[in-house]
């Protein structure tokens, strides 16, 4: 009896022999494309620039623009074929009108290698050619990046039109294999679920299904009437669970329960793909009707690895290609073992994977007419011909659409073709031997050390190595540039959704508690309270917090001053460990703290979780940074003398925090002061005082000594002003409005009688943040990011987009999509998952923002205002103004709400001038695909944080140190390597170590802290 490997080799050898009878290059289009791809496979940097140029080309309108971008992308090429590239650039400059057309024509030709037609009518010509070759089809409509419900509805209409056209044009066609043709309808359409609803949130699969199902039913109903097949495509991991649940739910409906002509995709590179497939098979048996599964490797590897690394998640995809190949084979067997209920469609160009499916089918006695192979249009033509000749059913995946919306698909195919690990490259470009092409992926893994192969073209991320960072750092913590951020909660996982719902329910039952002040470790109720109100439901009192007055302020200052003399001499390692214990407690109580923020300040789930993550990061990052700067360091190596540079704490710190990041900012300023040896009086915003009480409770549990931290909520105009002026307050850390910040800055400059120190003020204020969208920007990305930057958390972020600056050239295109996107964002109570826009913080803010909207109506043109906002609660409608001039109030003054001013400018010169023409310099954004313009924006835009081709909100500790200048702040950077220095005074201790002409030969670079009395 022959082994399975022998059978695989036999099948594989036959396929390869047939392939060699019809020799073809890797790239079926010869000439320009083939030469360009060959060059790209020889140099990764050239490939990167090439694919970026290809990506931007369809959005360029004139030949001059094309030539400019060509030069920007390739002028710095320095490898072996630099002369070829530079010669092309020089030629393009001579006749841009001609070279621009030639380039566009050639790239369009490249795209048509993979895109089968512009529309339904166009693709039929291609399908007829394939029919003559006995190859079937599944047609996919490109353009899955929808930013509004208008675009989603257009996609649904195109699906219906495609069904009608394909059915009409193929009415007389028959199945090329003949046997079991009832399992394989001629018309087969693949649908991108994400293109049917613009607001899919992994946090809220129920909402996604509620919107998707009504759009799908007419398509499915018509497909069934026409005898067509519908396949649900699988995209990014974030949408996987929604797609599977939607598929199961809609095909369990009475109307479609007995319809067998529906399928779904399983991606073998996902670690949980076997669980999903077994679940689907079990569901299919319970349903009692056959369905189909298209098994693929997966096309979003780079996206998934990058996303996981950025968010601190365990990577959902296998990190090694042989792992994916081996899993593909395991899932192939699982499908064929369950052939009685599921029809397998094996999507691969890898001859080893194909031969494995053939051999396993033979072993299990599954007739070759009861499954099929699917390959991509434009790739692996000889393999398709070989399979047809062997009597197997072959279907080609045929994308249809215009070049611009099809670019993401096109670039994925380019990456697949030129990947160092791709089968097509190995066979058709590198001519590897049969033995190498048909090797068992499990054997490859067994032979590698620890089952891990060295990789040549993919990321190695910390997210792949461990699911989350450790909260127990050691004395040997590495430098700050290696800091690993705490992970975000992945709400795509059902267990996290369920946990958040449960904790919200429990938190609601606990609303209304009273919380004391804490002074010198003593809990104090003053008889007066501050009521914290739920802005979504103002009748809900989240909690009543004791209100401090002047008397309590004096007690807190004394307690902090008395505690300082001991705390300042506490070794920095003990202080760092206090912060790490705090982070661990926060992580343990993460969902509880997130739920509190939902109720107290109206944060949506993901925004609340992000705030807790930031608070944890501040603790861990500042602990790490204190270890970095805590030991005295030698200034210079000088014989006979040692001079050590080190830091002392300043004294008593008064921390004044805002409500919009109620734990993160309060925690960040407080822990920075504590870890540097200062004692703290902590005043939260009145609107978020319960969050402040929670932070005090957590730090108390972590072991902060009495008097070192004092919790003092109260009115800023009374108690706050008193402490700002107090002679015994040495440092003020403030984040809030410009008006209050400038008042603090001015007051701190006055020296009071008995004052011992010049007061240090760490002052972070607001912004009037601008985003510029360049003429060549990727609007799919820009619209999504700008909508979120403007309306996420109701625009109540100091970093939020307030001014959108558009060039005349793309103004109409951007505005058309922006207004539709704004009309599609979800507005509602943030207790529900997936909400983007919730309530503003309180009634005063509600009326102030509405007043600004009235000012905007008098100054500019109301381009859009949402109408369907909840009547109860402090909900302000998302609003967009056009025809805004730079000198208008709505373009100059911070509104701090969901209001955007759109300014039209002539060119980039004016755009940058307008962006810089405010009193503020906090954040700014720039969307462009011009390397030269991007470099200019990096150099010229005036903002503390400049973001290129991404949202202008969402700074991450350590990764994006945050803070501005001008009237946005004093230039400090929270979460940055130098932030702790604001809380310290530098000191140098010099000793003459020469004795009678003798001195030590070496002086250590670092020494122990200067502590007295010395720790025992």
């Amino acid at each position: 009896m022959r082994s399975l490997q022998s059978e695989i080799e036999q099948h594989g050898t036959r396929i390869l022999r047939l392939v060699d009878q019809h020799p073809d290059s890797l790239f079926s289009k010869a000439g320009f494309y083939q030469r360009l791809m060959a060059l790209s496979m020889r140099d990764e940097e050239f490939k990167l620039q090439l694919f970026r140029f290809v990506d931007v080309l369809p959005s360029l309108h004139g030949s001059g623009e094309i030539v400019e971008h060509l030069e920007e992308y390739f002028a710095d090429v320095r490898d072996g074929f630099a002369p070829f590239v530079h010669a092309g650039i020089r030629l393009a400059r001579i006749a841009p009108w001609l070279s621009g057309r030639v380039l566009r024509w050639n790239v369009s030709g490249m795209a048509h290698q993979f895109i089968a037609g512009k529309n339904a009518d166009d693709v039929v010509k291609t399908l007829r050619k394939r029919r003559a070759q006995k190859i079937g089809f599944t047609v996919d409509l490109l353009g899955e990046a929808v930013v509004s419900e208008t675009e989603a509805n257009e996609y649904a209409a195109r699906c219906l039109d495609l069904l009608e056209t394909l059915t009409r044009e193929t009415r007389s066609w028959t199945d090329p294999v003949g046997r079991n043709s009832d399992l394989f309808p001629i018309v087969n359409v693949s649908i991108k679920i994400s293109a049917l609803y613009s607001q899919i949130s992994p946090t809220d699969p129920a909402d996604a299904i509620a919107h998707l199902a009504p759009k799908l039913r007419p398509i499915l109903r018509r497909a069934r009437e026409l005898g067509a097949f519908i396949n649900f495509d699988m995209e990014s991991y974030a949408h996987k669970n929604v797609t599977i649940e939607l598929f199961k739910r809609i095909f369990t409906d009475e109307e479609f329960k007995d319809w067998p002509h529906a399928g779904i995709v399983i991606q073998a590179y996902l670690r949980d793909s076997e669980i999903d497939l077994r679940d689907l098979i079990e569901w299919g048996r319970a349903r009692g009707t056959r369905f189909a599964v298209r098994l693929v490797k997966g096309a979003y590897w780079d996206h998934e690895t990058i996303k996981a690394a950025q968010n601190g998640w365990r990577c959902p995809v296998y990190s090694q290609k042989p792992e994916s190949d081996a899993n593909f084979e395991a899932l192939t067997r699982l499908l064929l073992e369950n052939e009685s209920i599921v029809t397998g469609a094996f999507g691969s160009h890898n001859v080893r994977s194909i031969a494995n499916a053939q051999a396993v089918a033979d072993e299990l006695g599954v007739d070759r007419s009861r499954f099929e192979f699917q390959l991509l249009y434009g790739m692996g033509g000889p393999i398709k011909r070989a399979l047809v000749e062997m009597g197997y059913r072959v279907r080609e995946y045929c994308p249809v659409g215009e070049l611009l919306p099809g670019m993401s698909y096109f670039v994925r195919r380019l990456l697949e073709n030129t990947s160092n690990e791709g089968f097509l490259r190995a066979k058709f470009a590198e001519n590897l031997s049969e033995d190498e092409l048909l090797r068992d992926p499990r054997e490859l893994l067994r032979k590698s050390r620890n089952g891990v192969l060295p990789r040549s073209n993919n990321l190695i991320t910390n997210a792949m190595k461990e699911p989350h960072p450790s909260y127990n750092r050691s004395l040997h913590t590495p430098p700050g540039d290696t800091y690993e951020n705490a992970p975000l909660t992945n709400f795509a996982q059902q267990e996290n959704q369920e946990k958040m719902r449960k904790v919200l329910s429990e938190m609601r039952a606990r609303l209304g508690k009273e919380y004391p002040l804490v002074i010198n470790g003593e809990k104090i109720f003053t008889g007066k309270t501050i009521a914290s109100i739920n802005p979504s439901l103002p009748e809900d009192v989240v909690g009543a917090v004791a209100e401090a007055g002047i008397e309590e302020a004096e007690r807190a200052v004394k307690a902090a001053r008395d505690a300082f003399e001991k705390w300042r001499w506490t070794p920095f390692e003990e202080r760092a460990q206090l912060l790490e214990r705090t982070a661990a407690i926060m992580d343990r109580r993460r969902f509880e703290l997130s739920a509190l923020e939902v109720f107290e300040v109206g944060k949506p789930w993901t925004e609340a979780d992000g705030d807790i993550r930031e608070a944890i990061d501040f603790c861990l990052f500042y602990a790490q940074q204190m270890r970095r700067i805590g030991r005295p360091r030698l200034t210079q190596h000088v014989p006979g003398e040692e001079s050590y540079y080190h830091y002392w704490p300043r004294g008593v710190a008064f921390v004044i925090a805002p409500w919009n990041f109620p734990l993160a900012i309060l925690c960040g300023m407080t822990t920075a002061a504590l870890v540097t040896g200062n004692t703290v009086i902590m005043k939260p915003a009145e609107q978020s005082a319960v969050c402040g009480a929670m932070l005090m409770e957590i730090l108390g549990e972590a072991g902060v000594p009495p008097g070192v931290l004092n919790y003092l909520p109260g009115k800023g105009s009374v108690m706050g002003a008193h402490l700002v002026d107090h002679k015994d307050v040495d440092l003020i850390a403030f984040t809030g409005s410009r008006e209050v910040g400038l008042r603090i800055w001015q007051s701190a400059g006055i020296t009071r009688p008995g004052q011992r120190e010049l007061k240090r003020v760490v002052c972070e204020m607001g912004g009037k943040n601008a985003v510029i969208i360049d003429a060549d920007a990727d609007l799919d990305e820009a619209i999504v990011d700008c909508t979120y930057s403007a309306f996420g958390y109701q625009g109540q972020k100091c970093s939020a987009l307030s001014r959108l600056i558009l060039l005349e050239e793309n103004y109409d295109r951007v505005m058309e999509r922006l207004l539709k996107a704004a009309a599609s964002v979800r507005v509602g109570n943030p207790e529900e998952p997936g909400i983007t826009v919730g309530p503003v913080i309180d009634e005063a803010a509600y009326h102030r923002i509405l007043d600004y909207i009235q000012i905007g109506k008098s100054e500019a043109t109301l381009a859009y205002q949402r109408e369907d906002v909840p009547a109860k609660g402090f909900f302000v409608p998302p609003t967009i103004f056009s025809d805004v001039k730079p000198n208008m109030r709505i373009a100059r003054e911070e509104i701090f709400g969901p209001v955007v001013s759109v300014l039209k400018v002539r060119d980039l010169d004016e755009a940058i001038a307008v962006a810089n023409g405010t009193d503020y310099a906090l954040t700014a954004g720039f969307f462009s695909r011009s390397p030269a313009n991007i470099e200019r924006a990096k150099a010229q835009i005036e903002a503390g944080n400049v973001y290129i081709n991404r949202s202008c909100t969402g700074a991450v500790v350590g990764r994006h140190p945050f803070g501005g200048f001008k009237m946005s702040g004093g230039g400090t950077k929270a979460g940055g390597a130098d932030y702790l220095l604001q809380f310290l005074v530098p000191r140098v201790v010099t000793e003459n170590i020469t004795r009678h002409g003798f001195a030590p030969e070496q002086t250590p670079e670092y020494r122990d802290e200067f502590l007295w009395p010395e720790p025992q």
Side-chain angles (χ1 to χ4, degrees):
M1 183 175 177
R2 291 165 60 90
S3 68
L4 179 62
Q5 176 63 21
S6 298
E7 294 294 331
I8 292 171
E9 290 173 357
Q10 181 180 4
H11 281 278
T13 298
R14 187 178 176 202
I15 295 171
L16 292 172
R17 298 282 162 78
L18 289 171
V19 164
D20 290 339
Q21 290 177 18
H22 306 282
D24 199 356
S25 65
L26 168 56
F27 310 107
S28 58
K29 287 184 179 293
F32 174 84
Y33 178 51
Q34 189 169 332
R35 287 194 295 273
L36 210 53
M37 291 300 97
L39 287 174
S40 75
M41 288 190 293
R42 285 165 45 192
D43 185 272
E44 285 295 315
E45 182 60 28
F46 178 79
K47 181 169 81 171
L48 175 67
Q49 295 301 90
L50 172 64
F51 290 2
R52 285 180 172 176
F53 177 70
V54 165
D55 177 57
V56 70
L57 183 61
S59 67
L60 304 179
H61 302 292
S63 295
E65 282 185 87
I66 294 173
V67 173
E68 283 177 10
H69 281 70
L70 181 71
E71 185 168 5
E72 289 173 20
Y73 277 102
F74 296 106
D76 294 332
V77 171
R78 293 288 180 267
D79 50 38
F81 43 87
F84 163 77
V85 175
H86 294 152
I89 292 172
R90 286 193 296 272
L91 183 63
R93 282 201 213 103
I94 295 170
W97 59 271
L98 177 61
S99 54
R101 280 186 202 169
V102 170
L103 281 167
R104 192 186 293 276
W105 181 80
N106 273 301
V107 171
S108 295
M110 289 165 62
H112 292 140
Q113 158 106 1
F114 304 113
I115 299 174
K118 292 182 179 180
N119 51 45
D121 292 323
D122 192 33
V123 75
V124 170
K125 304 169 191 173
T126 300
L127 303 184
R128 288 197 182 102
K129 295 176 184 175
R130 295 300 183 267
R131 182 196 176 205
Q133 298 166 357
K134 298 184 179 180
I135 295 174
F137 65 84
T138 180
V139 176
D140 161 51
L141 285 174
L142 293 172
E144 60 266 33
V146 298
V147 302
S148 67
E149 286 308 277
T150 300
E151 293 178 3
N153 293 336
E154 289 170 355
Y155 179 87
R158 288 169 59 213
C159 286
L160 285 168
D161 178 66
L162 179 67
L163 279 169
E164 300 291 346
T165 301
L166 292 177
T167 303
R168 181 179 66 250
E169 296 296 331
T170 63
R171 188 166 287 119
S172 62
W173 295 15
T174 56
D175 179 76
V177 174
R179 301 189 315 280
N180 292 304
S181 60
D182 57 311
L183 302 179
F184 304 95
I186 298 296
V187 174
N188 187 308
V189 172
S190 293
I191 292 179
K192 294 278 194 302
I193 298 303
S194 65
L196 288 168
Y197 181 38
S198 65
Q199 303 300 307
I200 294 179
S201 169
T203 309
D204 194 0
D207 171 80
I209 291 169
H211 284 81
L212 288 164
K215 293 181 180 179
L216 273 167
R217 286 193 180 95
I219 298 171
L220 299 176
R221 194 172 295 129
R222 188 56 179 151
R224 185 171 189 173
E225 292 168 354
L226 296 173
F229 184 99
I230 297 293
N231 194 79
F232 284 22
D233 265 348
M234 194 67 72
E235 301 165 89
S236 68
Y237 185 73
H239 293 155
K240 173 183 73 76
N241 291 343
V242 169
T243 304
I244 291 174
E245 183 58 30
L246 173 68
F247 181 82
K248 292 194 297 185
R249 194 167 307 180
I250 205 163
F251 290 109
T252 308
D253 286 354
E254 199 60 39
E255 181 178 5
F256 302 112
K257 187 176 182 180
D258 61 346
W259 187 38
H261 296 148
I264 191 170
V265 171
I266 289 290
Q267 297 163 310
Y269 71 175
L270 292 180
R271 297 177 187 274
D272 52 9
S273 53
E274 182 177 347
I275 295 172
D276 290 333
L277 182 54
R278 289 187 182 279
D279 175 68
L280 280 166
I281 290 169
E282 183 180 344
W283 164 82
R285 293 199 180 282
R287 175 178 176 243
T289 304
R290 174 178 286 274
F291 69 104
V293 166
R294 177 197 298 153
L295 181 63
V296 300
K297 302 285 174 67
Y300 298 82
W301 190 94
D302 295 278
H303 169 82
E304 301 296 0
T305 53
I306 290 169
K307 193 77 173 174
Q310 289 179 345
N311 293 334
W313 296 336
R314 182 174 182 268
C315 193
V317 298
Y318 290 114
S319 58
Q320 307 290 336
K321 186 178 183 299
E323 292 177 292
S324 299
D325 290 341
N327 193 45
F328 187 93
E329 294 188 7
L331 299 182
T332 295
R333 176 172 289 277
L334 184 58
L335 280 171
L336 291 169
E337 287 174 343
N338 291 275
E339 191 279 328
S340 61
I341 193 65
V342 58
T343 301
F346 303 103
S348 178
H349 301 91
N350 186 320
V351 170
R352 160 77 199 196
S353 299
I354 294 169
N356 173 76
Q358 294 173 342
V360 172
D362 289 349
E363 175 193 315
L364 297 174
V366 178
D367 188 87
R368 66 184 57 186
S369 66
R370 296 187 67 80
F371 59 92
E372 68 181 9
F373 293 103
Q374 295 192 6
L375 293 87
L376 295 171
Y377 174 80
M379 294 170 63
I383 299 174
K384 297 169 192 170
R385 288 192 291 270
L387 291 172
V388 169
E389 192 167 332
M390 293 169 72
Y392 288 96
R393 183 176 277 103
V394 178
R395 191 178 302 277
E396 199 168 57
Y397 185 89
C398 299
V400 174
E402 297 291 339
L403 184 55
L404 187 57
M407 282 313 300
S408 60
Y409 176 85
F410 177 30
V411 171
R412 285 201 300 274
R413 296 291 76 80
L414 293 179
L415 286 168
E416 185 172 347
N417 265 333
T418 58
S419 164
N420 292 344
E421 296 177 323
F423 180 89
L424 291 179
R425 172 173 173 165
K427 165 60 182 169
F428 295 102
E430 297 176 350
N431 298 311
L432 297 187
S433 68
E434 282 187 13
D435 288 343
E436 290 177 290
L437 294 173
L438 298 177
R439 59 192 174 181
D440 187 341
R442 284 168 290 270
E443 187 64 27
L444 276 173
L445 292 171
R446 280 193 293 270
K447 286 181 178 179
S448 66
R449 186 176 64 183
N450 298 323
V452 178
L453 289 169
R455 286 176 290 166
S456 55
N457 71 327
N458 48 21
L459 299 175
I460 300 176
T461 69
N462 289 322
M464 295 176 190
K465 293 185 288 188
E466 56 176 332
H468 50 74
S470 168
Y471 294 116
N472 298 303
R473 305 291 180 182
S474 73
L475 281 168
H476 308 292
T477 303
D481 62 355
T482 62
Y483 175 73
E484 295 175 25
N485 293 96
L488 292 166
T489 297
N490 188 349
F491 284 111
Q493 296 177 358
Q494 186 176 354
E495 63 188 279
N496 289 332
Q497 298 166 19
E498 292 172 351
K499 190 171 184 179
M500 187 66 179
R501 292 181 193 278
K502 180 174 182 289
V503 173
L504 280 166
S505 178
E506 293 170 349
M507 177 65 69
R508 174 165 282 286
R510 300 205 308 266
L511 297 182
K513 284 179 58 178
E514 290 192 13
Y515 299 87
L517 314 178
V518 179
I519 300 174
N520 204 25
E522 180 186 352
K523 296 180 179 179
I524 300 171
F525 290 94
T526 62
K528 296 175 66 177
T529 59
I530 299 169
S532 177
I533 302 300
N534 179 354
S536 298
L537 299 168
E539 67 270 21
D540 288 350
V541 177
V542 177
V545 180
E547 180 182 341
I550 303 299
E551 179 183 347
E552 290 77 24
E554 287 293 336
R555 288 179 61 183
V557 172
K558 184 178 185 308
R561 176 59 63 189
D562 292 346
F564 176 65
E565 287 309 314
K566 182 176 181 182
W567 185 244
R568 69 178 302 182
W569 300 116
T570 301
F572 70 78
E573 178 58 29
E574 292 184 26
R575 303 195 302 259
Q577 288 179 10
L578 169 70
L579 266 60
E580 289 167 344
R581 291 193 298 272
T582 301
I585 296 167
M586 283 185 180
D587 188 53
R588 189 183 75 233
R589 300 177 63 176
R590 184 169 193 154
F591 285 87
E592 174 193 355
L593 296 171
S594 292
L596 175 59
E597 292 199 6
V598 170
F599 285 115
E600 188 169 33
V601 297
K603 276 191 180 281
W605 288 20
T606 53
E607 297 277 357
D609 178 74
D611 193 57
I612 310 309
R613 184 258 197 122
E614 188 174 0
I616 293 170
D617 271 337
F618 276 134
C619 292
L620 298 177
F621 182 75
Y622 290 154
Q624 182 187 84
Q625 291 300 307
M626 193 62 220
R627 291 192 178 105
R628 186 176 64 86
I629 66 173
R631 297 169 67 195
R633 181 174 184 175
L634 193 69
T635 58
Q636 290 181 342
H637 288 279
V638 177
E641 182 180 277
E642 61 177 28
S643 291
Y644 282 97
Y645 192 106
H646 78 124
Y647 299 97
W648 270 357
R650 290 183 173 272
V652 175
F654 181 32
V655 170
I656 309 168
W659 49 261
N660 61 331
F661 291 91
L663 272 168
I665 295 179
L666 182 64
C667 180
M669 294 190 294
T670 298
T671 55
L674 290 174
V675 81
T676 47
N678 300 281
T679 54
V680 178
I681 300 168
M682 181 174 74
K683 181 196 173 301
E686 295 165 43
Q687 298 93 329
S688 58
V690 176
C691 284
M694 287 297 102
L695 180 59
M696 182 69 229
E697 181 181 303
I698 288 167
L699 279 158
E701 182 183 343
V704 68
V708 170
L709 175 63
N710 304 276
Y711 170 60
L712 211 68
K715 287 187 166 55
S717 58
V718 182
M719 178 270 291
H722 179 75
L723 287 175
V724 166
D725 294 341
H726 203 289
K727 66 181 178 62
D728 287 328
V729 170
D730 304 294
L731 180 149
I732 302 160
F734 169 81
T735 301
S737 70
R738 171 179 173 177
E739 178 188 5
V740 176
L742 292 181
R743 199 156 59 235
I744 291 172
W745 195 276
Q746 181 182 34
S747 179
I750 301 171
T751 304
R752 315 289 171 177
Q755 183 174 323
R756 289 164 294 186
E757 300 278 350
L758 295 177
K759 292 190 181 184
R760 169 58 65 92
V761 178
V762 180
C763 190
E764 300 174 35
M765 299 180 288
K768 193 66 181 173
N769 310 302
V771 169
I772 301 169
I773 299 182
D774 202 1
D776 66 350
D778 184 334
L779 295 191
D780 289 344
E781 292 182 354
I783 297 298
V784 171
D785 286 340
C786 287
T787 303
Y788 173 72
S789 296
F791 301 128
Y793 189 41
Q794 303 78 265
Q796 296 178 122
K797 303 177 187 179
C798 52
S799 58
L801 163 61
S802 180
R803 298 177 299 144
L804 182 61
I805 301 172
L806 305 179
L807 278 61
E808 288 178 346
E809 185 177 346
N810 65 349
Y811 179 86
D812 291 338
R813 288 183 291 122
V814 175
M815 285 298 287
E816 180 185 7
R817 298 192 73 187
L818 176 69
L819 299 184
K820 292 174 181 177
S824 303
V825 297
R826 293 182 63 192
V827 180
N829 188 330
E831 290 180 57
E832 295 300 318
I835 293 296
T836 299
V837 181
V840 297
I841 189 62
D842 59 18
E843 187 174 6
Y846 174 79
H847 289 297
R848 178 177 49 79
I849 298 167
L850 290 181
D851 287 345
Y852 267 110
I853 290 174
Q854 289 305 120
I855 291 169
K857 289 178 179 178
S858 67
E859 289 183 323
T861 301
L862 180 65
Y864 171 76
Q865 187 170 51
R866 189 68 171 262
E867 296 179 356
D868 57 335
V869 299
K872 183 183 290 187
F874 304 125
F875 289 88
V876 173
T879 303
I880 299 174
F881 288 103
S882 60
D883 300 320
V884 178
K885 304 303 178 187
N887 61 343
M888 292 178 177
R889 286 186 63 187
I890 58 170
R892 292 185 293 108
E893 299 175 12
E894 188 176 26
I895 298 173
F896 222 64
V899 181
V900 177
S901 298
V902 182
L903 298 92
K904 184 193 292 188
V905 296
R906 293 183 305 277
D907 51 28
L908 189 56
D909 291 341
E910 186 180 0
I912 292 175
V914 169
N916 293 344
T918 73
D919 295 341
Y920 299 95
L922 187 54
T923 71
F926 185 64
F927 286 89
S928 177
R929 287 180 286 188
S930 162
N933 289 351
I934 287 172
E935 288 305 307
R936 181 182 179 187
K938 290 175 181 177
Q940 292 189 335
I941 291 179
E942 296 174 2
N945 288 69
V946 178
Y947 296 103
I948 309 296
N949 290 326
R950 54 147 285 171
S951 167
C952 66
T953 66
V956 176
V957 172
R959 196 181 304 170
H960 316 120
F962 187 79
F965 49 95
K966 292 167 71 172
M967 289 297 112
S968 291
T972 52
K973 283 289 189 183
D978 57 358
Y979 185 69
L980 294 188
L981 301 184
Q982 313 302 320
F983 297 80
L984 295 162
V985 289
R987 185 170 179 262
V988 175
V989 177
T990 302
E991 180 183 357
N992 173 11
I993 56 175
T994 302
R995 294 292 183 272
H996 302 290
F998 295 98
E1001 292 185 5
Q1002 290 186 330
T1003 305
E1005 184 177 359
Y1006 290 94
R1007 58 150 287 160
D1008 291 337
E1009 294 171 86
F1010 298 115
L1011 297 176
W1012 193 264
E1014 294 183 0
Q1016 299 301 314

